[in-house]
Amino acid sequence: MNRRHVAAAAITLVCALTVLTAPVQAFAAPAPPSPSVTQPDTRSDSGSKTPKKSLEEVREEIDALYRKAGAATDAYNLAEERAKKQSDEIVKLARAIVEGKAKIAELKNQAGAQAREQYRTGGLPPGAQLMLSDDPQLFLDGVNRVREGQQAAQGVLGELTRTQQDLETYTQDASINWKKLEANRLKQAEAKKKINAQIAAAKKLESQLEKKERARLLKLEKEAEYKLQTAWLSSGALKDINREASANGKKAVAFATAQIGKPYVWGAEGPGSYDCSGLTSQAWAAAGRPIPRTSQEQWRLLPRIAIKDMRPGDLIIYHGDASHVGMYIGDGAIIHSPRPGRNVTVAGAGSMQILGVVRPDK
């Protein structure tokens, strides 16, 4: 590939890019559930038909849709993070290419000046001409100048070769990163479609319910969480767990606590709204310990610990695909950003399927 064209392409690339503390008082479990909910009527007062599925089946379907949206959100966030890193890398490479071109031009000018000087002196540098002198001192000076001139010429040519090689490497790296950037943008777009589709489907199911049924749906949701939390506590999972948070953990818990009541928005990292991993990553960033952006990366990269060893500030990862995360605050409770339509809140640590626990400051 013509180096001049490649370098120009890389420069165009960067131009395009530039336009382009104390823990809260927690609780072990929510209040006991109310009496069981009766099945909804098959017809509303207006005579219009409601879904034939039971309200519990609708709840489970909505929950599954939001879980799928959560997994897609994690994929979106990861693709966004990688795209940003690749974009930053391309900018650095493009700047290096610009500097390399300027350096090559400077070295070529130096080489050209040396060549023109030799032409003016009949092909001999000034030092070589002095060597022809009968004066011994001038002769010795000439020898030194010849050596210096040869070394300077070799240095210029050597540096010119290295700079040209670097320029080719920078250009190739920029091309590779550009392809990765575009691939991650496609992943982002695909994940965004999935997120919107799952959320729209869940909202459609809820919209088909009457007001009283939506209230009962929320009650069923709370009862399902209570059932899981109670079973988790009954298993003895919290036996002998009474550890104090680390200094950084207290800061992270304090930050998360201050966000209670703010809405869930997928892909959000605050300050007005958060998704689940946006909340935990920002809380630990505020504590001076940056961690991976997504719940799946938090599970993959952070040190894992046993449930029996967890302390406030640790992160509990949920579901088999690590698509949700909450921050443990003690007394069997977490702070988390649940899903679209819900706000950052305190919940039972065992109210969802626990995959494991990680500790950002281990």
Side-chain angles (χ1 to χ4, degrees):
M1 179 183 295
N2 185 283
R3 293 175 183 163
R4 196 173 290 176
H5 289 167
V6 172
I11 296 168
T12 302
L13 181 151
V14 70
C15 292
L17 284 173
T18 55
V19 296
L20 291 166
T21 257
V24 298
Q25 186 66 33
F27 55 85
S34 58
S36 60
V37 179
T38 57
Q39 295 291 330
D41 295 332
T42 57
R43 301 182 68 85
S44 67
D45 295 338
S46 62
S48 60
K49 292 183 179 180
T50 57
K52 294 180 180 179
K53 297 176 182 177
S54 71
L55 202 55
E56 175 61 20
E57 288 174 329
V58 172
R59 185 198 68 78
E60 290 176 354
E61 188 173 349
I62 289 173
D63 184 61
L65 286 168
Y66 279 124
R67 276 190 55 195
K68 289 178 181 177
T73 297
D74 231 33
Y76 176 91
N77 289 337
L78 182 60
E80 182 181 47
E81 186 176 36
R82 288 177 175 173
K84 184 180 183 305
K85 287 180 180 178
Q86 282 148 4
S87 179
D88 291 344
E89 183 63 23
I90 290 171
V91 170
K92 290 178 183 177
L93 288 167
R95 286 173 179 165
I97 289 170
V98 172
E99 292 172 0
K101 286 190 67 180
K103 185 65 174 178
I104 286 174
E106 180 185 347
L107 292 170
K108 284 183 176 179
N109 285 336
Q110 290 182 25
Q114 291 176 347
R116 288 191 295 273
E117 180 63 23
Q118 288 185 359
Y119 178 78
R120 284 196 299 269
T121 57
L124 292 174
Q129 293 183 27
L130 290 170
M131 288 176 66
L132 302 177
S133 172
D134 293 332
D135 188 323
Q137 185 59 48
L138 289 177
F139 176 81
L140 292 175
D141 290 342
V143 170
N144 291 332
R145 291 184 185 181
V146 168
R147 288 174 180 170
E148 291 172 0
Q150 289 175 339
Q151 290 173 353
Q154 290 174 355
V156 168
L157 292 176
E159 190 173 358
L160 179 60
T161 300
R162 288 191 299 272
T163 304
Q164 288 174 329
Q165 291 173 344
D166 289 343
L167 189 60
E168 290 178 359
T169 300
Y170 294 151
T171 304
Q172 291 171 0
D173 289 347
S175 178
I176 292 170
N177 275 281
W178 179 260
K179 290 177 181 178
K180 289 180 179 179
L181 175 63
E182 289 303 301
N184 276 308
R185 282 177 174 166
L186 289 175
K187 289 179 182 178
Q188 276 183 267
E190 183 181 352
K192 185 175 181 179
K193 288 180 181 178
K194 288 181 180 179
I195 294 165
N196 289 332
Q198 304 294 350
I199 292 176
K203 286 183 176 179
K204 183 178 180 180
L205 278 174
E206 289 188 82
S207 69
Q208 292 172 345
L209 300 173
E210 294 182 355
K211 185 177 180 180
K212 288 192 297 184
E213 290 173 326
R214 288 196 292 271
R216 284 156 60 191
L217 184 70
L218 180 60
K219 186 180 291 186
L220 283 176
E221 181 182 305
K222 295 298 182 184
E223 289 178 357
E225 291 176 358
Y226 173 83
K227 184 177 180 180
L228 288 171
Q229 174 74 351
T230 301
W232 184 66
L233 292 174
S234 299
S235 71
L238 287 184
K239 185 179 180 181
D240 299 327
I241 295 182
N242 190 27
R243 292 173 180 80
E244 193 174 329
S246 65
N248 286 330
K250 289 178 180 179
K251 292 178 183 177
V253 170
F255 179 94
T257 302
Q259 313 313 311
I260 290 176
K262 294 182 179 180
Y264 176 105
V265 174
W266 65 265
E269 300 177 81
S273 58
Y274 297 88
D275 61 21
C276 66
S277 58
L279 176 64
T280 55
S281 61
Q282 288 302 305
W284 272 101
R289 287 295 185 98
I291 62 174
R293 167 65 176 88
T294 71
S295 59
Q296 292 177 344
E297 290 294 280
Q298 289 169 8
W299 174 244
R300 187 173 71 88
L301 298 174
L302 295 178
R304 300 179 187 181
I305 63 168
I307 291 177
K308 65 181 181 64
D309 296 326
M310 69 181 177
R311 67 191 184 194
D314 289 343
L315 305 181
I316 302 180
I317 310 297
Y318 293 96
H319 309 309
D321 58 358
S323 58
H324 192 70
V325 60
M327 178 178 290
Y328 185 64
I329 58 174
D331 296 330
I334 61 167
I335 290 177
H336 73 141
S337 186
R339 65 168 177 82
R342 300 287 185 265
N343 298 330
V344 176
T345 188
V346 176
S351 60
M352 295 169 282
Q353 178 194 354
I354 295 177
L355 178 61
V357 181
V358 295
R359 176 166 295 166
D361 60 343
K362 184 175 180 179

